[in-house]
Amino acid sequence: MAIVDWAFIALGNGREAADGERAVVEFDGLTSRFVVVPDAAAAVAVAASLVASGVQTVELCGAFSPAEVAAVRGVTGSVPVGAVQYGVDSVQGFAALL
């Protein structure tokens, strides 16, 4: 089975709508959904909603903690959830952004 519908969820600055700010890109049979959420709790609800609508896989930005990634995985059932991980060489630069 090919992936035809996937989503990327990113943490925003906290001022986004509770159900996220969304963009959808459709190209050559692939639907890519990008959702920026205000906090990790919203990410859990958004992930559940996306899976219910047929998304086949969910990716999370690197700002999510391992516990927050686990919370998202807890609502996606058999739909795989990936998470961006920053290497040791990137941690200091990423931390400076927060």
Side-chain angles (χ1 to χ4, degrees):
M1 169 191 255
I3 295 176
V4 297
D5 196 346
W6 75 284
F8 182 83
I9 302 174
L11 284 176
N13 60 20
R15 295 190 302 263
E16 296 78 16
D19 63 345
E21 304 299 331
R22 298 168 183 248
V24 178
V25 176
E26 296 183 63
F27 178 75
D28 199 24
L30 175 65
T31 299
S32 303
R33 302 170 190 277
F34 302 91
V35 186
V36 181
V37 296
D39 54 42
V44 172
V46 165
S49 172
L50 289 165
V51 169
S53 73
V55 165
Q56 297 166 281
T57 185
V58 175
E59 294 288 331
L60 301 174
C61 79
F64 287 97
S65 72
E68 293 164 342
V69 171
V72 170
R73 285 185 175 137
V75 299
T76 60
S78 63
V79 170
V81 175
V84 173
Q85 303 277 311
Y86 289 93
V88 172
D89 58 325
S90 298
V91 171
Q92 187 175 17
F94 182 73
L97 296 173
L98 304 175

